[in-house]
Amino acid sequence: MTIPRLFSLSLTTALAALAAAAPAAQAQAQAQAGGVTTEVVARGLQNPWGLAFIGEGRMLVTERPGRMRVVAPDGTLGEPLAGVPQVDVIGQGGLLDVTTDRDFARNRTLYFCYAEPAASGGGNSTALASARLSKDATRLEDVKVLFSQKPKVSSRAHFGCRIVQARDGNLFLTLGDRFSRMADAQTLDNHLGKVVRIRPDGSVPPDNPFVGRAGALPEIWSLGHRNLQGAALAADGRLWTGEHGPQGGDEINRPEAGKNYGWPLITYGENYGGGPIGEGLTAKPGLEQPLHYWVPSIAPAGMAFVHSDRYGKAWRGNLLVGSLKFRYLARLELDGTRVRREEKLLPTLGQRVRDVRQGPDGFIYLLTDERNGQLLRLLPAR
């Protein structure tokens, strides 16, 4: 099947879609806090994970079972794009994040990450690929795997998989420790529990911190992470990340070149069911402290900085973080790198907030990770 042309829907079909959306949009708008409401842009997405904007009011959404779709301005879902590579849909794995190149309007290039199955035998790991979206937005063309996490591991968990393109064009990719291999987050001969940095063609920037170091993989930017499922650029162009702790100890960090963020040697969390992890330390010389942490865990997912004035000047520069566990949106007021105040928005939303993005229109968009997931727009309350 092919995607219908995005702007050739019949008037009857369009009106029917809008009518069907209205009751849920009105109900959703009742969930308000902090002077904001939500409206439903699209529904019927199966465990959506990543969101990108492709112009003319259209959005690209990934679904964890291995599909990528275009969402039309009126919320109509296109058919799954052709050309998506084989994805290992298992546990937390599947088709995960997506982002467009900074020059997408000219080159139609996008980047996406996913759980990549081993070529033979068992196991999987996180991979990052590039592709070109066809002019008719029905398929991915010229798909290239730019990076594949080493080693492959037999695991259903901790894929990480957030992509951020820096101002210089280089790509950051967050990688989980795969749950069963947490000690590997402290060694440089693997990509587990790391943030990596590569060029858009998959090559290694020569100024990466471990280039030329014996026994170290050159893609590594920072180490000592557990499971980073959120990442965003601040106004100054610096990378910030959100990271799952175990039972407690979720973190916000600002990963810097060559630095060690401590997992599992230090943590503000504990083992599932109780008991210390390792020596039970929260600090140790040579290991970085988080900028902010949560106890109990909120399971932080997508995150975005507010760069627009749509929600008032007081929100500009705030960091928004989705909670999977408690199903709300956290608004963090910042003083430099210090979190001055946290507000829980949409406390009655009742859906896992998987991704958070600011659109070209200045509005904030959310994806809810449910079997019948939704794409929501955050609106200032009137």
Side-chain angles (χ1 to χ4, degrees):
M1 297 178 67
T2 59
I3 299 178
R5 292 186 180 276
L6 297 178
F7 299 103
S8 63
L9 293 173
S10 69
L11 179 61
T12 301
T13 301
L15 291 175
L18 290 172
Q26 293 168 0
Q28 198 69 37
Q30 301 305 311
Q32 64 175 284
V36 291
T37 63
T38 59
E39 66 175 355
V40 177
V41 177
R43 59 170 50 77
L45 294 158
Q46 185 176 352
N47 300 108
W49 218 95
L51 172 67
F53 303 92
I54 59 173
E56 300 178 324
R58 297 173 300 163
M59 287 163 272
L60 199 60
V61 175
T62 60
E63 295 174 291
R64 187 158 45 82
R67 296 181 294 270
M68 193 180 300
R69 300 179 188 271
V70 171
V71 181
D74 67 356
T76 302
L77 301 182
E79 293 293 325
L81 300 185
V84 175
Q86 183 181 359
V87 172
D88 197 6
V89 182
I90 181 172
Q92 297 172 1
L95 183 58
L96 304 175
D97 202 17
V98 63
T99 191
T100 53
D101 185 79
R102 298 175 66 86
D103 201 15
F104 177 83
R106 181 186 64 83
N107 61 27
R108 301 188 66 79
T109 296
L110 56 92
Y111 308 98
F112 59 98
C113 57
Y114 59 99
E116 178 187 54
S120 61
N124 51 44
S125 68
T126 300
L128 171 64
S130 66
R132 184 176 59 253
L133 182 64
S134 65
K135 289 185 178 181
D136 62 0
T138 64
R139 64 192 181 279
L140 301 182
E141 301 174 335
D142 195 25
V143 176
K144 298 176 182 176
V145 176
L146 304 178
F147 169 85
S148 185
Q149 181 187 35
K150 299 177 182 177
K152 290 283 192 292
V153 176
S154 293
S155 174
R156 302 167 55 89
H158 294 193
F159 292 87
C161 206
R162 282 292 174 196
I163 310 163
V164 169
Q165 187 173 35
R167 290 175 177 173
D168 62 6
N170 289 323
L171 300 168
F172 289 106
L173 175 66
T174 69
L175 299 168
D177 67 355
R178 309 310 316 279
F179 188 76
S180 61
R181 300 283 292 269
M182 64 182 184
D184 286 339
Q186 284 296 316
T187 58
L188 296 171
D189 60 351
N190 66 83
H191 296 123
L192 308 185
K194 312 295 194 302
V195 174
V196 297
R197 176 178 179 249
I198 62 172
R199 287 170 166 167
D201 63 1
S203 63
V204 176
D207 60 343
N208 269 10
F210 299 108
V211 168
R213 179 166 169 174
L217 296 180
E219 299 89 355
I220 296 173
W221 176 258
S222 62
L223 67 152
H225 301 286
R226 186 171 182 267
N227 188 24
L228 311 96
Q229 293 194 18
L233 283 188
D236 63 1
R238 300 286 294 274
L239 175 70
W240 289 52
T241 58
E243 180 171 338
H244 285 221
Q247 188 167 279
D250 295 346
E251 298 180 357
I252 297 293
N253 288 299
R254 193 174 67 165
E256 297 183 39
K259 292 192 175 181
N260 187 334
Y261 291 82
W263 175 257
L265 302 180
I266 60 172
T267 178
Y268 286 90
E270 62 180 15
N271 280 308
Y272 294 109
I277 292 173
E279 299 177 54
L281 300 176
T282 57
K284 197 171 185 177
L287 304 180
E288 303 301 312
Q289 283 290 300
L291 302 181
H292 183 70
Y293 66 90
W294 286 273
V295 176
S297 293
I298 69 165
M303 51 192 278
F305 284 92
V306 180
H307 299 302
S308 80
D309 292 326
R310 286 283 193 183
Y311 308 93
K313 291 184 178 180
W315 275 46
R316 179 177 280 273
N318 288 185
L319 179 63
L320 303 179
V321 182
S323 168
L324 296 170
K325 181 178 180 181
F326 294 120
R327 306 185 178 207
Y328 64 77
L329 181 66
R331 179 172 73 92
L332 306 182
E333 294 182 1
L334 304 175
D335 180 6
T337 59
R338 183 178 68 88
V339 176
R340 181 172 56 197
R341 176 175 175 265
E342 179 178 350
E343 180 181 15
K344 297 177 182 178
L345 303 174
L346 312 176
T348 61
L349 181 64
Q351 300 184 68
R352 291 157 49 88
V353 180
R354 171 59 72 182
D355 202 8
V356 184
R357 307 274 177 153
Q358 181 177 298
D361 56 7
F363 287 112
I364 299 297
Y365 291 81
L366 312 177
L367 285 178
T368 65
D369 187 357
E370 307 287 340
R371 287 189 60 82
N372 184 17
Q374 298 180 337
L375 170 58
L376 306 174
R377 182 185 292 115
L378 195 67
L379 297 177
R382 295 178 181 177

